[in-house]
Amino acid sequence: MLRHVLLSMVLGGTALAAPQRVVTLGGDITEIVYALGKGDTLAAVDVTSVYPEAALKLPKVGYVRALSAEGILAMKPDLILASGEAGPAETMAQLKAAGIPIVALPKDHTLPGIEGKIRAVAEAFDAKADGERLASTFETDREVAEATAKQGEPVTAVYVMARSDGTLIGAGRGTAADAMLTAAGLKNIFADTEGYKPVSGEALVGQNPAVIVTGQRTVQASGGLEKLKANPALSPTAAVKNDHLLVFDDMYLLGLGPRSAQAARELAQAARK
Amino acid sequence: MALLFGCALAAVTIGPMRIAPADIFALATGPGGEVDATVRTVVLQIRLPRVVLAALIGAALAVCGASMQGLFRNPLADPGLIGISAGAACGAVGVIVLGHRVLPVLPDWAAPYLLATAAFVGCLVATLVILQLSLHDGHPVVATMLLAGVAINALAGALTAFMIFLANDQQVRDVTFWLLGSLGAATWAKVVIVAPVVLVGLTLLPFVARALNGLLLGESEASHLGFDVRRTKSLVILLSTVMVGVSVAFTGVIGFVGLIVPHAVRLVAGPDHRFLLPASALLGAALLVGADTLARCLVAPAELPIGILTALLGAPFFLWLLLRAKAVWQP
């Protein structure tokens, strides 16, 4: 059903000729375009497009939620692929008024939603078969993650970021980190708060998570893994005592792009070792 | 006037999208039928409303700054002083962070205006509270008003900070961009709302120019000279609140224009409000139109928030004027 909705959106919005100058608005969409092997059609991307490295060399049209129309139009795109985050609404309306084909992808922060995005982007490039292949690899990884998640007792976990001053930020509801913990079948101890919030060390120790997940940038900001483990909010937890502090590449874990299912599978498996 | 016109002309012609002057000329003089549809949209629906909105808002901010500096006899006075910016920020941030709870019950046509309305209401509330607090025998006392302004600014700032704490990281980014101001979302619909308010204000404020001149001597001196000080105060505060409020509501906080433009005019042409007010309006409009053009071009195809540029351009220009004037006055 979802596929049909997306399909009609795509067919309604794009010309049939293969697009040559594409502007992507949203890092997840850019990642999908590269994963489909269509990276060479990109004329410009937004600043959240930081993976793969090639995307960093393209002109940047601004931050995905604060775009301006003229900069995008100046790139003379023949197709705009916009994530659900792209805005403000005025800019999107101006782009439409300028007569450039736009594919607006739905806002969806769940892993099954990413499969829909992959198929819709592939459709816009008239590369259905490639999209199907990428989406089904994704689906397989997601199913492995789900199957792993169902094994044994539920595991409590937390995703933390560290600022260079040593304070910790925890990931609550509505964050990419929470989506990944959930997809990996982990019970987020910060599920009651919303967004990324400063962490009370006592509360974290009190909840005693069995797994701590973090990103490489946090390890760097903390001055190394040992220093992070020594943080008084983390050192007394079961996770640190049992050496269950898992470090991931930040974008790999939190990008909510085509690599997310693989990341969820790795997270699910690593958390249960 | 020539400066504003030159800036406006340049602003319509220059942008990240290269457009031949011939196309602009064709659009300006006739139906421009042979002009490409994308070019037409960029010029008529994106650039032109932006330039007009920038001119209106630049004029409003500068003229309100000029009259408030006169009213408070304080060189640091600007529309932010009586809580306009802080109140607007409070309202806008409230909508950015908590608006998703109200949005589902709003009709579709109203949703895009929720943020602007909240910002406008926020500045109105802050200003009214400050005004009410400073009343003595039904007469606003300027010194109390300054202090109440400081307190309400702090309170609104704290409420804003609390909402930022509640926000998720995307909302925090939205808030940051709003607080730095942008003309990127300018549309004719917004021009139609802002223009009458600003134009009425620009027409009415010169009527109190002589009274503001009188106030330079002091409040009681001004009333001895026969000026209605109370009416002057009410008019300046009311018009500033409405003019700046409606501007801030649609573009976010754009700092420094209201503070610096009137001083720049004064340093060149002296403190007579009969000249100061219209000249500030023109210079403010030119400055904002110019700054917005740079905002579009400097990091194209991305765009700098305009609040960064008004401060970056305005402050050194002002310092230069200040140093030059010092050399003239203290040989």
Side-chain angles (χ1 to χ4, degrees):
Chain A
M1 175 60 201
L2 178 67
R3 255 196 80 195
H4 286 286
V5 174
L6 289 171
L7 192 69
S8 60
M9 279 173 58
V10 170
L11 290 180
T14 57
L16 284 171
Q20 295 305 313
R21 294 187 59 81
V22 181
V23 173
T24 49
L25 310 174
D28 50 343
I29 308 299
T30 308
E31 211 175 302
I32 293 172
V33 171
Y34 275 102
L36 289 168
K38 300 289 180 188
D40 51 346
T41 64
L42 289 178
V45 296
D46 78 313
V47 295
T48 65
S49 300
V50 294
Y51 183 90
E53 218 156 283
L56 293 170
K57 296 193 184 82
L58 292 168
K60 300 283 180 291
V61 295
Y63 171 59
V64 63
R65 293 164 69 78
L67 297 163
S68 71
E70 206 183 320
I72 296 171
L73 292 175
M75 304 312 302
K76 302 200 187 315
D78 55 11
L79 174 66
I80 296 171
L81 295 172
S83 82
E85 306 289 320
E90 287 91 345
T91 299
M92 303 316 284
Q94 287 167 341
L95 290 173
K96 253 180 220 136
I100 312 289
I102 301 180
V103 175
L105 296 143
K107 215 183 254 188
D108 189 342
H109 269 183
T110 65
L111 294 197
I114 295 171
E115 287 155 30
K117 282 194 281 192
I118 292 173
R119 291 197 172 96
V121 171
E123 205 77 56
F125 283 101
D126 202 15
K128 241 172 144 179
D130 292 338
E132 210 49 54
R133 214 170 301 133
L134 187 61
S136 61
T137 312
F138 188 96
E139 216 174 326
T140 313
D141 281 326
R142 182 168 61 80
E143 281 161 6
V144 174
E146 277 169 9
T148 314
K150 283 182 193 131
Q151 293 165 11
E153 292 294 297
V155 182
T156 54
V158 62
Y159 181 88
V160 290
M161 281 187 287
R163 288 200 287 230
S164 48
D165 62 357
T167 48
L168 292 174
I169 311 287
R173 222 171 342 108
T175 61
D178 180 65
M180 293 305 287
L181 291 180
T182 311
L186 303 175
K187 195 174 165 297
N188 184 3
I189 63 168
F190 279 122
D192 289 340
T193 58
E194 191 166 347
Y196 292 98
K197 290 279 152 27
V199 165
S200 138
E202 279 175 41
L204 199 150
V205 171
Q207 298 262 12
N208 197 22
V211 172
I212 294 169
V213 187
T214 190
Q216 272 153 6
R217 262 181 281 169
T218 289
V219 175
Q220 274 166 18
S222 315
L225 191 58
E226 290 313 311
K227 288 224 173 95
L228 180 66
K229 281 182 182 168
N231 187 309
L234 303 181
S235 59
T237 59
V240 171
K241 283 184 192 145
N242 302 330
D243 204 19
H244 249 139
L245 198 153
L246 310 176
V247 183
F248 280 81
D249 176 84
D250 297 83
M251 271 308 291
Y252 178 56
L253 188 67
L254 304 183
L256 289 180
R259 298 179 296 159
S260 293
Q262 196 192 333
R265 177 173 58 98
E266 283 174 24
L267 177 59
Q269 287 165 347
R272 283 170 184 79
K273 271 204 181 115
Chain B
M1 201 58 153
L3 179 67
L4 172 60
F5 190 72
C7 276
L9 196 66
V12 178
T13 325
I14 307 169
M17 179 122 175
R18 274 203 200 91
I19 293 175
D23 281 350
I24 307 240
F25 184 75
L27 284 169
T29 50
E34 70 280 17
V35 178
D36 179 67
T38 307
V39 170
R40 176 198 287 274
T41 310
V42 168
V43 174
L44 296 182
Q45 299 301 326
I46 299 179
R47 271 189 206 165
L48 211 53
R50 246 185 119 136
V51 172
V52 175
L53 198 66
L56 287 168
I57 288 176
L61 293 172
V63 85
C64 293
S67 21
M68 293 193 61
Q69 283 160 14
L71 184 70
F72 286 104
R73 277 169 293 138
N74 184 328
L76 287 176
D78 80 337
L81 192 73
I82 53 170
I84 296 178
S85 311
C90 207
V93 173
V95 166
I96 292 173
V97 177
L98 305 170
H100 58 92
R101 301 191 182 184
V102 202
L103 273 176
V105 298
L106 278 182
D108 281 350
W109 60 266
Y113 293 99
L114 179 64
L115 187 116
T117 313
F120 186 69
V121 171
C123 88
L124 218 57
V125 169
T127 309
L128 285 178
V129 170
I130 291 169
L131 199 61
Q132 197 61 39
L133 287 172
S134 66
L135 286 184
H136 181 73
D137 293 341
H139 192 84
V141 180
V142 163
T144 319
M145 197 179 254
L146 282 174
L147 291 174
V150 171
I152 295 299
N153 268 319
L155 188 63
L159 280 175
T160 307
F162 180 63
M163 283 183 288
I164 292 176
F165 170 78
L166 292 180
N168 65 37
D169 54 328
Q170 277 168 1
Q171 292 166 335
V172 171
R173 282 202 184 222
D174 288 357
V175 168
T176 312
F177 280 111
W178 192 86
L179 290 177
L180 290 171
S182 168
L183 289 157
T187 57
W188 285 119
K190 290 175 185 175
V191 171
V192 166
I193 298 175
V194 174
V197 176
V198 172
L199 292 178
V200 166
L202 289 178
T203 323
L204 288 181
L205 275 176
F207 284 103
V208 295
R210 280 163 44 79
L212 287 173
N213 282 346
L215 270 173
L216 289 176
L217 303 169
E219 267 191 47
S220 46
E221 287 80 354
S223 18
H224 289 312
L225 287 171
F227 295 115
D228 187 341
V229 174
R230 190 193 275 190
R231 207 196 55 181
T232 306
K233 272 186 202 166
S234 318
L235 195 70
V236 168
I237 290 167
L238 177 82
L239 287 177
S240 299
T241 307
V242 179
M243 286 164 82
V244 177
V246 79
S247 307
V248 174
F250 283 118
T251 60
V253 180
I254 298 178
F256 284 90
V257 177
L259 182 65
I260 276 170
V261 168
H263 286 297
V265 175
R266 256 187 232 111
L267 284 171
V268 173
D272 185 346
H273 286 89
R274 282 172 300 178
F275 180 77
L276 177 64
L277 296 185
S280 293
L282 286 176
L283 184 62
L287 174 69
L288 205 57
V289 170
D292 185 48
T293 310
L294 284 179
R296 269 184 288 152
C297 298
L298 280 182
V299 295
E303 199 170 289
L304 272 181
I306 186 132
I308 298 176
L309 273 173
T310 51
L312 270 181
L313 293 175
F317 168 67
F318 179 64
L319 283 176
W320 173 75
L321 272 179
L322 200 63
L323 292 174
R324 211 187 59 150
K326 207 167 85 178
V328 174
W329 289 339
Q330 303 170 347

